[in-house]
């Protein structure tokens, strides 16, 4: 486990969270997802500026909640997460990946040179819009130098999920049976990062 921020793999990191808010998630479970995000942010070195964070949500459309250069204090960021609305719809993972690559990680929106780019995708479903584009979009994300973790919740079919993360896939894919199991998962992700997974 990473016990000190300067030694952690998510220090000096630009991190973007991509959150599925499709209808199958439900409003109640979306709140649990937001709590997971807040727990993870509390592990990051936000206040000292080492870690910048942006958040995207998606269902039928993609919604940029805030860019990497929007918030520079943990307290402000946590309040912003609380205010993220649940916008239900279909599962358009492909477009969320496109926005992640083309809009979130740009210098104009806060992406810093010579700082690692990390994305964490949280989804409970398989794409049902633009499904044929999902895997190619994921490949372009990784090819652009973004290190990707994928978290799947209650998935009967994990085929698409395992096409999203960086290699080795087994180390960068996390699956849980329900949204309650997200609690504590942020520690596993940080353990992976602190052990050198994204250096």
């Amino acid at each position: 486990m990473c016990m000190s921020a300067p030694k952690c793999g998510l220090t000096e990191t630009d991190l973007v969270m991509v959150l599925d808010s499709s209808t199958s998630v439900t409003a109640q479970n979306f709140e649990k997802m937001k709590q997971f995000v807040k727990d993870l942010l509390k592990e990051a070195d936000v206040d000292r500026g080492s870690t910048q964070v942006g958040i995207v949500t998606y269902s039928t459309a993609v919604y940029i909640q805030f860019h990497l250069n929007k918030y520079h204090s943990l307290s402000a960021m946590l309040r912003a997460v609380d205010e993220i609305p649940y916008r239900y719809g279909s599962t358009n993972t492909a477009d969320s990946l496109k926005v992640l690559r083309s809009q979130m990680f740009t210098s104009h929106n806060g992406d810093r040179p010579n700082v690692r780019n990390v994305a964490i995708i949280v989804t409970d479903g398989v794409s049902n819009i633009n499904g044929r584009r999902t895997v190619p979009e994921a490949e372009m994300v990784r090819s652009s130098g973004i290190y990707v973790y994928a978290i799947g919740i209650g998935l009967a079919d994990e085929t698409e999920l395992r096409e999203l993360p960086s290699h080795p896939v087994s180390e960068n894919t996390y699956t849980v049976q329900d949204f309650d199991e997200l609690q504590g998962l942020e520690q596993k992700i940080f353990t992976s990062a602190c052990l050198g997974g994204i250096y």
Side-chain angles (χ1 to χ4, degrees):
M1 183 183 300
C2 173
M3 300 302 294
S4 121
K7 297 180 181 179
C8 181
L10 286 185
T11 299
E12 288 298 311
T13 297
D14 289 337
L15 169 67
V16 175
M17 304 285 297
V18 181
L19 310 176
D20 180 354
S21 70
S22 57
T23 301
S24 58
V25 171
T26 76
Q28 180 181 10
N29 284 331
F30 190 67
E31 291 302 313
K32 295 177 183 178
M33 191 185 295
K34 286 163 58 175
Q35 184 60 52
F36 163 73
V37 171
K38 291 193 294 182
D39 291 343
L40 190 144
L41 294 180
K42 290 173 185 176
E43 298 286 334
D45 191 15
V46 173
D47 284 331
R48 289 189 293 182
S50 294
T51 305
Q52 293 189 146
V53 181
I55 294 182
V56 171
T57 62
Y58 72 96
S59 52
T60 305
V62 182
Y63 306 91
I64 296 173
Q65 301 301 324
F66 53 85
H67 283 292
L68 291 164
N69 54 4
K70 176 68 173 178
Y71 297 108
H72 299 288
S73 77
L74 178 60
S75 59
M77 197 176 290
L78 294 177
R79 286 194 298 271
V81 172
D82 281 332
E83 294 171 0
I84 294 175
Y86 170 58
R87 296 186 177 101
Y88 61 87
S90 300
T91 307
N92 190 358
T93 307
D95 277 353
S96 76
L97 294 168
K98 182 177 180 179
V99 168
L100 170 68
R101 173 178 53 83
S102 64
Q103 297 186 48
M104 300 305 292
F105 287 108
T106 66
S107 58
H108 176 73
N109 291 322
D111 186 31
R112 296 170 291 179
N114 303 315
V115 171
R116 65 175 66 88
N117 292 339
V118 177
I120 300 176
I121 303 167
V122 187
T123 180
D124 83 325
V126 177
S127 302
N128 52 29
I129 296 180
N130 299 318
R132 292 182 180 179
R133 285 183 38 231
T134 300
V135 172
E137 288 289 353
E139 291 171 349
M140 285 190 283
V141 166
R142 297 192 303 269
S143 295
S144 68
I146 301 167
Y147 198 94
V148 182
Y149 291 97
I151 301 172
I153 306 165
L155 294 176
D157 184 352
E158 299 176 5
T159 303
E160 181 181 277
L161 181 76
R162 295 185 178 279
E163 295 286 350
L164 302 180
S166 297
H167 295 273
V169 171
S170 61
E171 294 181 10
N172 296 315
T173 306
Y174 297 83
T175 56
V176 295
Q177 292 304 307
D178 57 46
F179 285 84
D180 291 326
E181 290 185 27
L182 286 173
Q183 186 173 6
L185 187 59
E186 77 283 349
Q187 290 289 345
K188 293 182 180 179
I189 292 175
F190 268 76
T191 298
S192 172
C194 293
L195 290 176
I198 60 175
Y199 282 102

